[in-house]
Amino acid sequence: YRDASGALLVYDITDAESFNKVKNWVKELRKIVGNDIVIVIAGNKIDMEKNRNVDEMEAVKYAESVGAVHFHCSAKANRGLDEVFGALAQKMLDKKGPAGKVKGAG
């Protein structure tokens, strides 16, 4: 992932440990790739909202604090997936200038 332009990090809203793992991945990506990588964080399993163990506002604020975008989705219910992938793709394209070069680079 050293040359990655973007990353989609997904956690299970019913599993707080999975959210902690996302935080570790963000640190790793920033260390290896730097700040140029686009990061989207998605809280999955919103179809199981009643079993939520990750505070929604905490997740959104964390994403903002690391320069990421946060979404909620449900792979099982096919909700929010287009928005997640669309936002990741659009943000990656926005970072690129003409001819696919990263804006501000060389």
Side-chain angles (χ1 to χ4, degrees):
Y1 54 81
R2 290 185 192 285
D3 295 325
S5 297
L8 171 57
L9 304 176
V10 181
Y11 68 93
D12 175 347
I13 68 164
T14 69
D15 180 4
E17 183 57 31
S18 70
F19 185 61
N20 289 331
K21 289 179 181 177
V22 162
K23 291 178 181 180
N24 290 333
W25 270 108
V26 169
K27 288 178 193 168
E28 177 79 5
L29 287 166
R30 292 294 186 218
K31 184 172 97 176
I32 300 297
V33 183
N35 289 325
D36 287 335
I37 189 169
V38 173
I39 298 176
V40 171
I41 298 173
N44 190 35
K45 296 191 179 178
I46 58 170
D47 54 292
M48 299 180 67
E49 184 66 38
K50 66 181 183 286
N51 298 326
R52 177 183 282 277
N53 284 313
V54 177
D55 182 74
E56 185 174 354
M57 284 311 301
E58 176 189 349
V60 170
K61 286 181 181 180
Y62 171 75
E64 290 173 1
S65 77
V66 296
V69 182
H70 187 278
F71 288 89
H72 298 98
C73 63
S74 170
K76 181 178 180 180
N78 194 22
R79 289 180 26 212
L81 299 175
D82 290 341
E83 292 82 358
V84 169
F85 285 101
L88 178 60
Q90 188 59 58
K91 290 200 163 291
M92 288 169 53
L93 288 171
D94 290 348
K95 272 215 175 233
K96 303 268 183 193
K101 294 185 178 178
V102 175
K103 289 182 181 176

